[in-house]
């Protein structure tokens, strides 16, 4: 879910499982360190297509991002091995757990409508929180850029990194992305004095690190639990470094050599046969497919709902 849904879904699910005592504190910190990731919609859509105008870069960036996340997860398997916590007791009998959950929901009068309403309210609150943090940090980073604070910081870092071939534009992008990831990745994609490999390394570093904006989102989510953010921050730093290394290696492979920037709307030109009518039909097909998928999901939900009602009725009869 952390990989497919983006920030901060991984943190939200981890915090929920900790609140429900499904994970110990150490397990939660270990899980949080590598499951809160950028989603494919942002990496492929916003970064590859929107910023670089190179759709073929999307999958490459996403794969390197996921590999870096898995690498951090493998490294963090050793976290907390010295101070082992007592494992959370769990009933391994699936049918027994299912009956307990049904009985608990019946006593709490948690009908599907109530649970659906709570899920929607929680989702809206999280969405508003995410949007608020993004807006806040976008304003902060633009203020810092306008007053020259980022340029002032770069004057200290640039003498160290310039011998390595890192340009001033990339340094400014990374410093900006330290606070807000989207702003930093956009600046890195526009660094004209830097090679494509350098731009992608900077972008992968920022995608792995995620920025203070995302970290404050995570903090607001896990603040109600006893989960420490220190392992998480260290894990995000490692993920950024590994992602930059992986993309640098991938860009040296033979199949990435012909990658060049191009317009994503190049197919729609006066000389092309792809007219506005074709675009309209193509869009309508996508809308119809999406509606069909939603109908299928709705049917599955209804089947699940009526199956649950039947199981509950059978359970009540058996308890009598």
């Amino acid at each position: 879910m952390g990989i497919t849904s983006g920030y901060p879904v991984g943190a939200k699910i981890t915090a929920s499982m900790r609140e429900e005592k499904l994970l110990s504190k150490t397990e939660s910190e270990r899980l949080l360190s590598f499951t809160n990731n950028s989603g494919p919609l942002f990496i492929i859509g916003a970064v590859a297509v929107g910023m670089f105008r190179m759709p073929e870069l999307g999958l490459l960036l996403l794969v390197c991002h996921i590999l870096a996340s898995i690498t951090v997860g493998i490294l963090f398997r050793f976290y907390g091995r010295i101070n082992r916590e007592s494992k959370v007791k769990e009933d391994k009998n699936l049918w027994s757990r299912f009956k307990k959950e049904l009985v608990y929901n019946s006593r709490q009068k948690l009908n599907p409508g109530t649970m659906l309403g709570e899920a929607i309210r929680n989702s809206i609150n999280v969405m508003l929180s995410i949007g608020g943090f993004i807006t806040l940090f976008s304003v902060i980073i633009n203020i810092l850029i306008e007053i020259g604070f980022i340029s002032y910081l770069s004057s200290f870092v640039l003498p160290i990194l310039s011998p390595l071939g890192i340009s001033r534009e990339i340094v400014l992008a990374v410093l900006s992305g330290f606070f807000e990831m989207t702003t930093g990745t956009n600046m890195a994609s526009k660094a004209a004095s830097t090679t494509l490999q350098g731009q992608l390394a900077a972008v992968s570093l920022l995608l792995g690190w995620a920025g203070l904006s995302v970290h404050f989102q995570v903090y607001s989510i896990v603040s109600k639990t006893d989960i420490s953010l220190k392992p998480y921050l260290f894990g995000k730093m490692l993920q950024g470094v590994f992602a930059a290394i992986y993309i640098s290696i991938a860009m040296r492979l033979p199949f990435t050599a012909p990658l060049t920037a191009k317009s994503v709307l190049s197919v729609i030109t006066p000389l092309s046969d792809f007219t506005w009518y074709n675009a309209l039909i193509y869009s309508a097909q996508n809308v119809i497919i999406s509606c069909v998928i939603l109908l299928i999901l709705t049917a599955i939900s209804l089947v699940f709902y009526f199956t649950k009602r039947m199981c509950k009725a059978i359970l009540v009869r058996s308890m009598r």
Side-chain angles (χ1 to χ4, degrees), residues 60 248-259:
L60 185 64
S248 299
I249 295 174
M251 288 301 293
R252 296 178 183 274
L253 299 177
F255 68 89
T256 60
L259 290 177

Side-chain angles (χ1 to χ4, degrees), residues 138-215:
S138 296
V139 172
I140 291 175
I141 191 58
N142 280 282
I143 291 175
L144 294 178
I145 292 173
E146 290 296 327
I147 65 176
F149 180 74
I150 298 298
S151 297
Y152 178 74
L153 285 180
S154 67
S155 62
F156 291 97
V157 181
L158 192 59
I160 303 173
L161 299 179
S162 56
L164 301 176
I166 300 176
S167 66
R168 184 173 183 272
E169 292 176 309
I170 291 296
V171 172
L172 291 173
V174 172
L175 290 175
S176 301
F178 175 82
F179 295 93
E180 211 286 307
M181 174 185 63
T182 307
T183 302
T185 53
N186 189 38
M187 292 174 64
S189 68
K190 296 177 179 178
S193 61
T194 307
T195 62
L196 180 60
Q197 180 179 336
Q199 290 176 313
L200 293 177
V203 167
S204 294
L205 175 67
L206 296 177
L207 289 173
W209 165 247
L212 292 183
S213 174
V214 171
H215 300 334

Side-chain angles (χ1 to χ4, degrees), residues 60-132:
L60 185 64
L61 283 168
L62 180 62
V63 169
C64 292
H65 186 71
I66 295 174
L67 286 177
S69 170
I70 294 173
T71 304
V72 173
I74 293 173
L75 293 177
F76 267 78
R77 71 185 298 271
F78 303 105
Y79 173 76
R81 288 297 182 93
I82 299 177
N83 299 321
R84 288 180 177 270
E85 296 184 32
S86 57
K87 293 185 177 180
V88 179
K89 293 184 178 179
E90 181 180 311
D91 190 353
K92 295 184 178 181
N93 190 308
L94 184 61
W95 175 245
S96 176
R97 290 167 57 191
F98 178 68
K99 289 196 296 183
K100 288 180 181 179
E101 187 70 20
L102 283 178
V103 172
Y104 174 78
N105 289 341
S106 299
R107 292 175 179 175
Q108 298 294 322
K109 297 181 179 180
L110 297 178
N111 57 65
T114 302
M115 290 188 288
L116 180 61
E118 290 180 357
I120 293 175
R121 280 191 292 272
N122 290 334
S123 301
I124 295 297
N125 289 334
V126 172
M127 289 170 60
L128 290 175
S129 175
I130 293 171

